[in-house]
Amino acid sequence: MVETLLTPDMMEYTTSLQLIFFLTLLALLPTMLLMTTAFTRLIISLYFLKSAMGTQQMPPNQIVIGLALFLTLFIMSPIFTQINQEAIIPYQNNEITQQQFVDLGTRPLKEFMVRQTRDEDIKLFMDLSGLPLIEDETDILSQLPLYVVVPAFIINEIRAGFVIGFLIYLPFIVIDMVVASTLMAMGMMMLPPAMISLPFKILLFIIVDGWHLIIGELLETFR
């Protein structure tokens, strides 16, 4: 009934607005992928690992970013599947409206972010935005807007990445200290400790099957 009241000029204007909205959403997709998924915690942790080992060029940055990206897809695949089944397919079949598509599409992602975010971070942004505290906890997701959940999730992921990075650094720092103390005791002041400790770091990482251990523990932090 509404479509019959629209003139051709109005329908063309509406189509243009939808096209602009789609292109804007497409341009923001990489940022949304970085900020609303597991990518932030993974990439920070992997770069801390690379820095702790002291291997400046190995593995290359492209491989580290690619590994973080595919691990993100692995972690987020159940959520993307849920979004596809509950929002995208019904919308394509004209079973739901555009507003329902947005609500159903963002709900699984919001649920993931809220589950990973500390209550303190969510409360911080609720206080800053002037929102009242949630008293009815039966449906928290509907009461938390995205502009509160997303920044709270981001700072929580950065914090988690730094905590994991600190724990990764500890065994490698011990090796650096042992090597530096040994060289000083031997009077070899001119020999850089990093040159000697690097092979021992790599040997330790190989012995404990480092990639298997660290990637497994990183994935466990999202459960």
Side-chain angles (χ1 to χ4, degrees), residues 51-196:
S51 177
M53 290 185 64
T55 55
Q56 301 299 324
Q57 302 296 331
M58 288 295 150
N61 291 335
Q62 293 86 346
I63 294 180
V64 175
I65 295 174
L67 176 60
L69 181 60
F70 278 98
L71 289 176
T72 301
L73 294 176
F74 176 81
I75 295 170
M76 304 298 296
S77 58
I79 298 168
F80 292 154
T81 301
Q82 184 179 354
I83 294 174
N84 182 58
Q85 293 176 349
E86 296 181 359
I88 297 178
I89 294 179
Y91 183 72
Q92 290 177 341
N93 296 332
N94 295 323
E95 298 174 0
I96 58 176
T97 63
Q98 189 172 10
Q99 183 60 43
Q100 291 175 323
F101 165 72
V102 174
D103 294 337
L104 293 174
T106 56
R107 187 176 181 84
L109 198 59
K110 187 190 295 185
E111 181 180 359
F112 168 79
M113 289 189 288
V114 170
R115 189 170 66 248
Q116 299 295 328
T117 307
R118 298 185 305 168
D119 294 339
E120 297 90 330
D121 296 329
I122 295 178
K123 184 178 181 301
L124 170 65
F125 285 96
M126 290 187 67
D127 293 340
L128 293 175
S129 60
L131 294 176
L133 295 178
I134 298 176
E135 298 180 356
D136 183 13
E137 298 185 358
T138 55
D139 190 11
I140 299 178
L141 294 179
S142 61
Q143 304 177 56
L144 287 175
L146 277 176
Y147 65 82
V148 168
V149 176
V150 173
F153 173 75
I154 293 172
I155 65 172
N156 180 82
E157 289 298 285
I158 295 175
R159 172 189 171 274
F162 272 74
V163 170
I164 295 171
F166 171 75
L167 296 176
I168 290 174
Y169 250 101
L170 288 179
F172 297 107
I173 288 178
V174 171
I175 295 178
D176 285 333
M177 293 178 63
V178 170
V179 170
S181 300
T182 304
L183 292 177
M184 289 182 63
M186 296 174 62
M188 304 175 66
M189 303 296 185
M190 302 302 295
L191 187 62
M195 183 183 301
I196 305 300

Side-chain angles (χ1 to χ4, degrees), residues 188-207:
M188 304 175 66
M189 303 296 185
M190 302 302 295
L191 187 62
M195 183 183 301
I196 305 300
S197 62
L198 180 58
F200 289 100
K201 291 179 181 180
I202 297 175
L203 179 62
L204 172 66
F205 201 69
I206 293 173
I207 291 175

